[in-house]
């Protein structure tokens, strides 16, 4: 169960219109390393996670990622809500506009629609946590690239905040991996799946 | 109530909320850390105070805080993705 809090985790207040910038930033909504993928990855992985502390971490980080989807959508909305048809054409936003007008739809910057194929839920604690560590780094790199491409200060501030969250989540997932490794039988380190081949279950 | 006051109060909620978010993630992997537990308690108390003040002076941040009157005003204020709701 979730409750909705009527605020962003970090404020988004953008005064200018730029569909060109929105076209790039939308990749963090529906792209391969975006916030929708992050939320779906952690919230689906948690059911098979054998360690309760780590399942709790997946729940809490997954919940925060839902808030990050909302921040990215807010950035795109504010960059596009006052655009004219001339702005659309000049920015090359027409290929998005023709299907979605100024609606928010999760896709990568390339136009590839959001897909579950961009993440895994493998049902193996070690496998899933390595995926999560990699995912946080991939998202951090994407935010670095956005900061290389975008010079609007009002856009950069929330993007810098989101980039920093990837660093914190990477740290927490590293600790989670350590907790899982402490649970493993040292003779079977990496050889068994603690989520499935649990000897105490049989 | 001025717009500046609303922004100040929302900033208080955001700052306290962020401190709670950080403490929660840390405690998930360090459940026995007494310093972190004390930090969490302080941050959570501050968050409650800030939400209470925002609710009293501006409006509800969660729909369970709506005080039933002659109008359902949960949907009256700007939504968080609108520029007008931010500072």
């Amino acid at each position: 169960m979730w409750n909705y809090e009527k605020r962003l985790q970090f404020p988004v207040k953008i005064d200018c219109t730029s569909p060109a910038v929105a076209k790039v930033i939308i990749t963090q909504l529906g792209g391969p390393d975006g916030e929708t993928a992050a939320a779906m990855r952690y919230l689906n992985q948690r059911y098979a996670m054998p360690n309760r502390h780590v399942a709790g971490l997946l729940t809490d980080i997954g919940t925060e990622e839902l808030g990050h989807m909302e921040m990215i959508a807010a950035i795109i909305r504010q960059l596009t809500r006052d655009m004219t048809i001339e702005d659309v054409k000049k920015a090359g936003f027409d290929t998005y506009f023709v299907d979605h007008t100024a609606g928010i739809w999760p896709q990568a910057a390339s136009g590839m629609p959001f897909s579950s194929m961009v993440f895994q839920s493998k049902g193996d604690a070690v496998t899933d946590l390595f995926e999560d560590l990699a995912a946080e780094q991939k998202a951090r790199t994407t935010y670095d690239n956005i900061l290389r491409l975008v010079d609007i200060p009002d856009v950069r501030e929330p993007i810098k905040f989101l980039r920093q969250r990837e660093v914190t989540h990477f740290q927490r997932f590293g600790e989670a991996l350590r907790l899982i490794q402490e649970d493993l039988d040292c003779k079977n380190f990496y050889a068994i799946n603690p989520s499935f081949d649990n000897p105490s279950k049989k | 109530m001025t717009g500046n006051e609303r922004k100040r109060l929302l900033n208080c909620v955001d700052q306290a909320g962020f401190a709670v978010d950080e403490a929660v993630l840390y405690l998930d992997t360090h459940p026995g850390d007494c310093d972190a537990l004390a930090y969490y308690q302080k941050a959570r108390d501050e968050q409650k105070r800030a939400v209470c003040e925002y609710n009293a002076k501006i409006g509800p941040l969660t729909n369970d805080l709506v005080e039933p009157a002659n109008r359902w005003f949960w949907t009256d204020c700007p939504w968080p993705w609108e520029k007008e709701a931010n500072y």
Side-chain angles (χ1 to χ4, degrees):
Chain A
M1 179 58 190
W2 272 267
N3 291 318
Y4 184 70
E5 226 179 304
K6 200 173 175 179
R7 66 180 179 94
L8 298 179
Q9 194 189 17
F10 185 93
V12 173
K13 193 172 192 239
I14 300 163
D15 282 323
C16 63
T17 295
S18 178
V21 168
K23 221 171 95 172
V24 166
I25 289 183
I26 202 166
T27 219
Q28 283 304 74
L29 184 67
D33 307 313
E35 300 292 355
T36 307
M40 294 304 109
R41 177 183 295 110
Y42 308 144
L43 293 176
N44 283 292
Q45 283 179 355
R46 66 197 172 125
Y47 303 102
M49 189 52 70
N51 179 304
R52 280 209 183 103
H53 302 292
V54 179
L57 184 71
L58 288 167
T59 302
D60 292 333
I61 295 183
T63 300
E64 185 179 336
E65 307 291 10
L66 294 172
H68 294 175
M69 287 171 62
E70 191 182 37
M71 279 181 65
I72 292 293
I75 294 172
I76 300 163
R77 174 64 188 157
Q78 292 181 30
L79 284 169
T80 56
R81 72 169 188 181
D82 293 327
M83 65 187 174
T84 63
I85 203 68
E86 282 69 36
D87 294 331
V88 168
K89 286 196 224 165
K90 206 159 56 180
F93 199 67
D94 46 355
T95 51
Y96 181 92
F97 179 87
V98 69
D99 287 328
H100 310 292
T101 327
I104 303 290
W105 189 71
Q107 66 162 51
S110 65
M112 182 180 71
F114 174 72
S115 162
S116 304
M117 294 303 289
V118 299
F119 69 88
Q120 247 304 11
S121 176
K122 200 71 175 175
D124 181 309
V126 174
T127 309
D128 281 348
L129 282 166
F130 272 97
E131 153 122 1
D132 301 345
L133 285 157
E136 294 294 335
Q137 288 300 330
K138 289 187 283 182
R140 197 262 309 149
T141 305
T142 308
Y143 282 123
D144 281 338
N145 289 340
I146 289 172
L147 290 168
R148 290 181 179 110
L149 290 165
V150 176
D151 55 9
I152 304 166
D154 294 347
V155 177
R156 290 176 62 88
E157 285 312 307
I159 293 294
K160 282 194 269 183
F161 171 85
L162 290 168
R163 178 199 183 276
Q164 205 55 37
R165 297 312 290 152
E166 310 300 339
V167 177
T168 301
H169 293 169
F170 179 78
Q171 175 71 28
R172 296 284 93 87
F173 281 131
E175 293 155 1
L177 181 61
R178 177 176 51 74
L179 292 174
I180 293 293
Q181 286 171 331
E182 283 167 6
D183 291 343
L184 289 175
D185 181 335
C186 62
K187 284 178 288 191
N188 278 311
F189 215 77
Y190 295 121
I192 62 154
N193 173 2
S195 306
F196 194 73
D197 308 313
N198 183 357
S200 66
K201 219 167 56 175
K202 294 178 179 143
Chain B
M1 183 58 54
T2 65
N4 284 343
E5 180 69 347
R6 191 188 66 79
K7 287 166 193 171
R8 188 186 70 78
L9 293 171
L10 184 58
N11 182 251
C12 289
V13 173
D14 287 348
Q15 286 193 30
F18 182 71
V20 171
D21 292 343
E22 272 288 74
V24 164
L25 297 190
Y26 179 84
L27 282 164
D28 285 346
T29 55
H30 304 78
D33 188 321
C34 295
D35 291 341
L37 285 164
Y39 180 88
Y40 167 77
Q41 197 171 11
K42 209 172 136 237
R44 190 208 50 191
D45 291 349
E46 174 55 24
Q47 184 193 33
K48 280 189 177 166
R49 191 206 59 75
V51 168
C52 197
E53 192 179 0
Y54 190 93
N55 189 51
K57 295 182 179 165
I58 310 295
L61 286 167
T62 53
N63 57 17
D64 61 327
L65 291 173
V66 177
E67 283 303 328
N70 56 0
R71 184 177 167 79
W72 178 250
F73 50 87
W74 168 242
T75 50
D76 283 348
C77 300
W79 289 97
W81 51 88
E82 296 178 50
K83 197 170 82 174
E84 294 72 17
N86 290 277
Y87 54 87

